[in-house]
Amino acid sequence: KGLGSLQKDVEIYGVSFMGDGMTYQSVPYINALGMGFHNQCQLLEITDCTGHMAEGGKKDAVFIAEQMLPHIAVVTNGAAIPVTDLIYFDGASNVQAAGELIELTYPGATTLHAAEHVIALFFSDVADIDEIDSLIHDYKEMYEMLTHRHGAHAVFAVHAKNFNGGRDLGLLRAADSRMAGHFYGLHRSLRQKPALKATVSSVQWKGLKLGAKDKVTPIVESDDWWEKTYMIMRAVN
């Protein structure tokens, strides 16, 4: 499904790819993603590098390029013209060299380094605007109550499932060090608006008798909050 989306009208809009290394619970990974002007970013693969490194291998330029090139070949297969536009990597020396190797195979592509960090810094600056900082503060209050308070979480989970085909689709956790995460969180709150409104108006919610501790209801019942959040998402989307 994702591959078909990336290949649609690729000769008109082109396609870009993003690669980044990460370590989670001491496991080294490489992520490969594809995106286009007219479609959403698609996760192509998460490579666990443990076996490679256990055999003496390194996350060097050749290895990183080898993780990306097959995906580029599959997505661009059949295109009559060069369609790979941009390769996004971070600024580490090994991925800079990997970008140069990919450019040898796809001369029409341009590798951009540390682009994702520039985007994160942009969102960090935007989040410092007082009005937006206030929205983020409110979102944190909702996340805290609907995630960490057992009763509140249970009531919200029921309504989240009702509005999402049985999926317990909760709010997203975001860290201040990754400010773009708060905007993903605000976007999720818009998606969950019907579930949130159903939650705070339910008999079960009122039965929790939260009183002054209820930080969620005033936010969810505020038309002004929803309008501002929608306008911000439209501006940064």
Coordinates of all heavy atoms in Angstrom, one line a residue, residues 3-71:
L3 N 4.0 1.5 -0.8 CA 4.9 1.6 -2.0 C 4.1 2.1 -3.2 O 4.6 2.9 -4.0 CB 5.4 0.2 -2.3 CG 6.4 0.0 -3.5 CD1 7.6 0.9 -3.3 CD2 6.8 -1.4 -3.7
G4 N 2.8 1.7 -3.3 CA 2.0 2.2 -4.4 C 1.8 3.7 -4.3 O 1.8 4.4 -5.3
S5 N 1.7 4.2 -3.1 CA 1.5 5.6 -2.9 C 2.7 6.4 -3.3 O 2.6 7.4 -4.0 CB 1.2 5.9 -1.4 OG 1.2 7.3 -1.2
L6 N 3.9 5.8 -3.0 CA 5.2 6.5 -3.4 C 5.4 6.5 -4.9 O 5.9 7.4 -5.5 CB 6.3 5.8 -2.7 CG 6.5 6.1 -1.2 CD1 7.6 5.2 -0.7 CD2 6.7 7.5 -0.9
Q7 N 4.9 5.4 -5.6 CA 5.1 5.3 -7.0 C 4.1 6.1 -7.8 O 4.3 6.3 -9.0 CB 5.1 3.8 -7.4 CG 6.2 3.0 -6.9 CD 6.1 1.6 -7.2 OE1 5.0 1.0 -7.1 NE2 7.2 0.9 -7.6
K8 N 3.0 6.5 -7.2 CA 2.0 7.2 -8.0 C 2.5 8.6 -8.5 O 3.0 9.4 -7.7 CB 0.7 7.4 -7.1 CG -0.4 8.1 -7.8 CD -1.6 8.3 -6.9 CE -2.7 9.0 -7.6 NZ -3.9 9.3 -6.6
D9 N 2.4 8.8 -9.8 CA 2.8 10.1 -10.4 C 4.2 10.4 -10.1 O 4.6 11.6 -10.0 CB 1.8 11.2 -10.0 CG 0.4 11.0 -10.4 OD1 0.2 10.4 -11.4 OD2 -0.5 11.4 -9.6
V10 N 5.1 9.4 -9.9 CA 6.4 9.7 -9.5 C 7.2 10.5 -10.6 O 8.1 11.3 -10.3 CB 7.2 8.4 -9.2 CG1 7.4 7.5 -10.4 CG2 8.5 8.6 -8.4
E11 N 6.8 10.3 -11.9 CA 7.5 11.0 -12.9 C 7.1 12.5 -13.0 O 7.8 13.3 -13.6 CB 7.2 10.3 -14.3 CG 7.8 8.9 -14.4 CD 7.6 8.3 -15.7 OE1 7.0 9.0 -16.6 OE2 8.0 7.1 -15.9
I12 N 6.1 12.8 -12.3 CA 5.6 14.2 -12.2 C 6.2 14.9 -11.0 O 6.8 16.0 -11.1 CB 4.1 14.3 -12.2 CG1 3.5 13.7 -13.5 CG2 3.7 15.8 -12.0 CD1 2.0 13.7 -13.4
Y13 N 6.1 14.3 -9.9 CA 6.4 14.9 -8.6 C 7.8 14.5 -8.1 O 8.4 15.2 -7.2 CB 5.4 14.6 -7.5 CG 4.0 15.1 -7.9 CD1 3.0 14.3 -8.3 CD2 3.7 16.5 -7.7 CE1 1.7 14.8 -8.6 CE2 2.5 17.0 -8.0 CZ 1.5 16.2 -8.5 OH 0.3 16.6 -8.8
G14 N 8.4 13.4 -8.5 CA 9.6 12.9 -8.0 C 9.4 12.2 -6.6 O 8.3 12.1 -6.1
V15 N 10.5 11.7 -6.1 CA 10.4 11.1 -4.8 C 11.7 11.3 -4.0 O 12.8 11.5 -4.6 CB 10.1 9.6 -4.9 CG1 11.3 8.9 -5.7 CG2 9.9 8.9 -3.6
S16 N 11.6 11.4 -2.7 CA 12.7 11.7 -1.8 C 12.8 10.6 -0.8 O 11.9 9.9 -0.5 CB 12.6 13.0 -1.1 OG 12.6 14.1 -2.1
F17 N 14.0 10.4 -0.2 CA 14.3 9.3 0.7 C 15.0 9.9 2.0 O 15.7 10.9 1.8 CB 15.1 8.2 0.1 CG 14.4 7.5 -1.0 CD1 14.5 8.0 -2.3 CD2 13.6 6.4 -0.8 CE1 13.9 7.4 -3.4 CE2 12.9 5.8 -1.8 CZ 13.1 6.3 -3.1
M18 N 14.7 9.3 3.1 CA 15.4 9.7 4.3 C 16.0 8.5 5.0 O 15.3 7.5 5.1 CB 14.4 10.4 5.2 CG 15.0 10.9 6.6 SD 13.8 11.6 7.7 CE 13.5 13.2 6.8
G19 N 17.2 8.7 5.5 CA 17.8 7.6 6.3 C 18.4 8.2 7.5 O 19.0 9.3 7.5
D20 N 18.3 7.4 8.6 CA 18.9 7.9 9.9 C 19.2 6.7 10.8 O 18.5 5.7 10.7 CB 17.9 8.8 10.6 CG 18.5 9.6 11.7 OD1 19.7 9.7 11.7 OD2 17.7 10.2 12.5
G21 N 20.3 6.8 11.5 CA 20.6 5.8 12.4 C 20.1 6.1 13.8 O 19.9 7.3 14.2
M22 N 19.8 5.1 14.6 CA 19.3 5.3 15.9 C 19.7 4.1 16.8 O 20.1 3.0 16.3 CB 17.8 5.4 16.0 CG 17.1 4.2 15.5 SD 15.3 4.3 15.8 CE 15.2 4.0 17.6
T23 N 19.8 4.3 18.1 CA 20.1 3.2 19.0 C 18.9 3.2 20.1 O 18.6 4.2 20.7 CB 21.4 3.5 19.8 OG1 22.4 3.5 18.8 CG2 21.7 2.3 20.7
Y24 N 18.3 2.1 20.2 CA 17.2 1.9 21.1 C 17.4 0.7 22.0 O 17.6 -0.4 21.5 CB 15.8 1.8 20.3 CG 14.6 1.6 21.3 CD1 14.2 2.6 22.1 CD2 14.0 0.3 21.3 CE1 13.1 2.4 22.9 CE2 12.9 0.2 22.2 CZ 12.5 1.2 23.0 OH 11.4 1.1 23.8
Q25 N 17.5 0.9 23.3 CA 17.8 -0.1 24.2 C 19.1 -0.9 23.8 O 19.1 -2.1 23.7 CB 16.6 -1.1 24.4 CG 15.4 -0.4 25.0 CD 14.2 -1.3 25.3 OE1 14.2 -2.5 24.8 NE2 13.3 -0.9 26.0
S26 N 20.1 -0.2 23.4 CA 21.4 -0.7 23.1 C 21.4 -1.4 21.7 O 22.4 -2.0 21.4 CB 22.0 -1.6 24.2 OG 22.1 -0.9 25.4
V27 N 20.3 -1.4 21.0 CA 20.3 -2.1 19.7 C 20.4 -1.0 18.6 O 19.7 0.0 18.5 CB 18.9 -2.8 19.5 CG1 18.9 -3.5 18.1 CG2 18.8 -3.9 20.6
P28 N 21.4 -1.2 17.7 CA 21.7 -0.2 16.6 C 20.7 -0.5 15.4 O 20.6 -1.6 14.9 CB 23.1 -0.4 16.2 CG 23.3 -1.9 16.5 CD 22.5 -2.3 17.7
Y29 N 20.1 0.6 15.0 CA 19.1 0.5 13.9 C 19.5 1.5 12.8 O 20.1 2.5 13.0 CB 17.7 0.7 14.3 CG 17.1 -0.3 15.3 CD1 17.1 0.0 16.6 CD2 16.6 -1.5 14.8 CE1 16.5 -0.9 17.5 CE2 16.1 -2.4 15.7 CZ 16.0 -2.1 17.1 OH 15.5 -3.0 18.0
I30 N 19.0 1.2 11.6 CA 19.0 2.2 10.5 C 17.6 2.3 9.9 O 17.0 1.2 9.5 CB 20.0 1.9 9.4 CG1 21.5 2.0 9.9 CG2 19.9 2.8 8.2 CD1 22.5 1.6 8.9
N31 N 17.0 3.4 9.8 CA 15.7 3.6 9.3 C 15.8 4.1 7.9 O 16.6 5.0 7.5 CB 14.9 4.7 10.1 CG 14.9 4.3 11.6 OD1 14.7 3.1 11.9 ND2 15.0 5.3 12.5
A32 N 14.9 3.6 7.0 CA 14.8 4.0 5.6 C 13.3 4.4 5.4 O 12.4 3.6 5.6 CB 15.2 2.9 4.7
L33 N 13.2 5.6 4.9 CA 11.8 6.2 4.7 C 11.8 6.8 3.3 O 12.8 7.2 2.7 CB 11.4 7.2 5.7 CG 11.5 6.8 7.2 CD1 12.8 7.2 7.8 CD2 10.4 7.5 8.0
G34 N 10.6 6.8 2.7 CA 10.4 7.4 1.4 C 9.2 8.4 1.5 O 8.3 8.2 2.3
M35 N 9.3 9.5 0.7 CA 8.2 10.5 0.7 C 8.2 11.2 -0.6 O 9.1 11.2 -1.4 CB 8.5 11.5 1.9 CG 9.7 12.4 1.6 SD 10.4 13.1 3.1 CE 11.5 11.7 3.6
G36 N 7.0 11.8 -0.9 CA 6.8 12.6 -2.1 C 6.1 13.9 -1.8 O 5.6 14.1 -0.8
F37 N 6.1 14.7 -2.8 CA 5.4 16.0 -2.7 C 4.0 15.8 -2.4 O 3.3 16.6 -1.7 CB 5.7 16.8 -3.9 CG 4.9 18.1 -4.0 CD1 5.4 19.2 -3.3 CD2 3.7 18.2 -4.7 CE1 4.7 20.4 -3.3 CE2 3.0 19.4 -4.7 CZ 3.5 20.5 -4.0
H38 N 3.4 14.8 -3.0 CA 1.9 14.7 -3.0 C 1.5 13.5 -2.1 O 0.3 13.1 -2.2 CB 1.4 14.5 -4.4 CG 1.8 13.2 -5.0 ND1 3.2 12.8 -5.0 CD2 1.2 12.3 -5.7 CE1 3.3 11.7 -5.7 NE2 2.1 11.3 -6.1
N39 N 2.4 12.9 -1.3 CA 2.0 11.8 -0.5 C 2.7 11.8 0.8 O 3.7 12.5 1.0 CB 2.2 10.4 -1.2 CG 3.6 10.3 -1.7 OD1 4.5 10.5 -1.0 ND2 3.8 9.9 -2.9
Q40 N 2.2 11.0 1.8 CA 2.8 11.0 3.1 C 4.1 10.2 3.2 O 4.3 9.3 2.3 CB 1.8 10.4 4.1 CG 0.5 11.3 4.3 CD -0.4 10.7 5.3 OE1 -0.3 9.5 5.6 NE2 -1.3 11.5 5.9
C41 N 4.9 10.5 4.2 CA 6.1 9.7 4.4 C 5.8 8.3 4.7 O 4.9 8.0 5.5 CB 6.9 10.3 5.5 SG 8.5 9.6 5.9
Q42 N 6.5 7.3 4.1 CA 6.3 5.9 4.3 C 7.6 5.3 4.9 O 8.7 5.5 4.4 CB 6.0 5.2 3.0 CG 4.8 5.8 2.2 CD 3.5 5.5 2.8 OE1 3.4 4.6 3.7 NE2 2.4 6.2 2.5
L43 N 7.4 4.5 5.9 CA 8.5 3.7 6.5 C 8.7 2.5 5.6 O 7.9 1.7 5.5 CB 8.2 3.3 7.9 CG 9.2 2.4 8.6 CD1 10.5 3.2 8.8 CD2 8.7 2.0 10.0
L44 N 9.9 2.4 5.1 CA 10.3 1.3 4.1 C 10.9 0.2 4.9 O 10.6 -1.0 4.6 CB 11.2 1.8 3.0 CG 10.6 3.0 2.2 CD1 11.7 3.5 1.2 CD2 9.4 2.6 1.5
E45 N 11.8 0.5 5.8 CA 12.4 -0.6 6.6 C 13.1 -0.1 7.8 O 13.6 1.1 7.8 CB 13.4 -1.4 5.7 CG 14.1 -2.6 6.4 CD 15.0 -3.3 5.4 OE1 15.4 -2.8 4.4 OE2 15.4 -4.5 5.8
I46 N 13.2 -0.9 8.8 CA 14.0 -0.6 10.0 C 15.0 -1.8 10.1 O 14.6 -2.9 10.3 CB 13.2 -0.5 11.3 CG1 12.2 0.6 11.2 CG2 14.2 -0.3 12.5 CD1 11.4 0.7 12.5
T47 N 16.3 -1.5 9.9 CA 17.3 -2.5 9.8 C 18.0 -2.7 11.2 O 18.5 -1.7 11.7 CB 18.4 -2.2 8.8 OG1 17.8 -2.1 7.5 CG2 19.4 -3.3 8.7
D48 N 17.9 -3.9 11.7 CA 18.6 -4.2 13.0 C 20.1 -4.5 12.6 O 20.3 -5.5 11.9 CB 18.0 -5.3 13.7 CG 18.6 -5.7 15.0 OD1 19.8 -5.2 15.3 OD2 18.0 -6.4 15.8
C49 N 21.0 -3.7 13.0 CA 22.4 -3.9 12.6 C 23.2 -4.8 13.5 O 24.4 -5.0 13.4 CB 23.1 -2.5 12.6 SG 22.3 -1.3 11.6
T50 N 22.5 -5.4 14.5 CA 23.2 -6.2 15.5 C 24.0 -7.4 14.9 O 25.2 -7.5 15.2 CB 22.2 -6.8 16.5 OG1 21.5 -5.8 17.1 CG2 22.9 -7.6 17.6
G51 N 23.4 -8.2 14.0 CA 24.1 -9.3 13.4 C 25.3 -8.8 12.6 O 26.4 -9.4 12.7
H52 N 25.1 -7.8 11.8 CA 26.2 -7.2 11.0 C 27.4 -6.8 11.9 O 28.5 -7.1 11.5 CB 25.7 -6.0 10.2 CG 26.7 -5.3 9.5 ND1 27.4 -5.7 8.4 CD2 27.2 -4.0 9.7 CE1 28.3 -4.8 7.9 NE2 28.2 -3.8 8.7
M53 N 27.1 -6.1 13.0 CA 28.2 -5.6 13.8 C 28.8 -6.8 14.6 O 30.0 -6.7 15.0 CB 27.7 -4.5 14.7 CG 27.1 -3.3 13.9 SD 26.6 -1.9 14.9 CE 28.2 -1.2 15.3
A54 N 28.0 -7.8 15.0 CA 28.5 -8.9 15.7 C 29.6 -9.7 14.9 O 30.5 -10.3 15.5 CB 27.4 -9.9 16.2
E55 N 29.4 -9.6 13.6 CA 30.4 -10.3 12.7 C 31.6 -9.4 12.4 O 32.4 -9.7 11.5 CB 29.7 -10.7 11.4 CG 28.6 -11.8 11.7 CD 27.8 -12.2 10.4 OE1 28.1 -11.5 9.4 OE2 27.0 -13.1 10.5
G56 N 31.7 -8.3 13.0 CA 32.8 -7.4 12.8 C 32.5 -6.3 11.9 O 33.4 -5.5 11.6
G57 N 31.3 -6.2 11.4 CA 31.0 -5.1 10.5 C 30.8 -3.8 11.2 O 30.7 -3.7 12.4
K58 N 30.7 -2.7 10.4 CA 30.5 -1.4 11.0 C 29.4 -0.7 10.2 O 29.0 -1.0 9.1 CB 31.8 -0.5 10.8 CG 33.0 -1.1 11.6 CD 34.2 -0.2 11.4 CE 35.4 -0.7 12.2 NZ 36.6 0.1 12.0
K59 N 28.8 0.3 10.9 CA 27.8 1.2 10.2 C 28.5 2.2 9.4 O 28.5 3.4 9.7 CB 26.8 1.8 11.2 CG 25.8 0.8 11.8 CD 24.6 1.5 12.4 CE 25.0 2.4 13.6 NZ 23.8 3.0 14.2
D60 N 29.3 1.8 8.4 CA 30.1 2.7 7.6 C 29.2 3.1 6.4 O 28.1 2.7 6.2 CB 31.4 2.1 7.2 CG 31.2 0.7 6.5 OD1 30.1 0.4 6.0 OD2 32.2 0.0 6.4
A61 N 29.9 3.9 5.6 CA 29.2 4.5 4.4 C 28.6 3.4 3.5 O 27.5 3.5 3.0 CB 30.1 5.4 3.7
V62 N 29.4 2.4 3.2 CA 29.0 1.4 2.3 C 27.8 0.6 2.8 O 26.8 0.4 2.1 CB 30.2 0.4 2.0 CG1 29.7 -0.8 1.2 CG2 31.3 1.1 1.3
F63 N 27.8 0.3 4.1 CA 26.7 -0.5 4.7 C 25.5 0.4 4.7 O 24.4 -0.1 4.4 CB 27.1 -0.9 6.1 CG 26.0 -1.6 6.8 CD1 25.7 -2.9 6.5 CD2 25.2 -1.0 7.8 CE1 24.7 -3.6 7.2 CE2 24.2 -1.7 8.5 CZ 24.0 -3.0 8.1
I64 N 25.6 1.6 5.0 CA 24.4 2.5 5.1 C 23.8 2.7 3.7 O 22.6 2.6 3.5 CB 24.7 3.9 5.7 CG1 25.1 3.7 7.2 CG2 23.6 4.8 5.5 CD1 25.6 4.9 7.8
A65 N 24.7 2.9 2.7 CA 24.2 3.0 1.3 C 23.5 1.8 0.8 O 22.5 1.8 0.1 CB 25.4 3.4 0.4
E66 N 24.0 0.6 1.3 CA 23.5 -0.7 0.9 C 22.1 -0.9 1.4 O 21.2 -1.6 0.9 CB 24.3 -1.8 1.3 CG 25.6 -2.0 0.5 CD 26.6 -3.0 1.0 OE1 26.3 -3.5 2.2 OE2 27.5 -3.4 0.3
Q67 N 21.8 -0.2 2.6 CA 20.4 -0.3 3.1 C 19.4 0.6 2.4 O 18.2 0.3 2.4 CB 20.4 0.1 4.6 CG 21.5 -0.6 5.5 CD 21.6 -2.1 5.2 OE1 20.6 -2.8 5.4 NE2 22.8 -2.6 4.9
M68 N 19.9 1.6 1.8 CA 19.0 2.6 1.1 C 18.8 2.2 -0.4 O 17.7 2.4 -0.9 CB 19.6 4.0 1.2 CG 19.7 4.5 2.6 SD 18.1 4.7 3.4 CE 17.4 6.0 2.4
L69 N 19.9 1.8 -1.1 CA 19.8 1.6 -2.5 C 18.7 0.7 -3.0 O 18.0 1.0 -4.0 CB 21.2 1.2 -3.1 CG 22.2 2.3 -3.1 CD1 23.6 1.8 -3.4 CD2 21.8 3.4 -4.2
P70 N 18.5 -0.5 -2.3 CA 17.4 -1.4 -2.8 C 16.1 -0.7 -2.8 O 15.2 -1.0 -3.7 CB 17.5 -2.6 -1.9 CG 18.9 -2.5 -1.4 CD 19.3 -1.1 -1.2
H71 N 15.8 0.1 -1.8 CA 14.5 0.7 -1.7 C 14.3 1.8 -2.8 O 13.2 1.9 -3.3 CB 14.3 1.3 -0.3 CG 14.3 0.3 0.8 ND1 13.4 -0.6 1.0 CD2 15.2 0.1 1.8 CE1 13.6 -1.4 2.1 NE2 14.8 -0.9 2.6

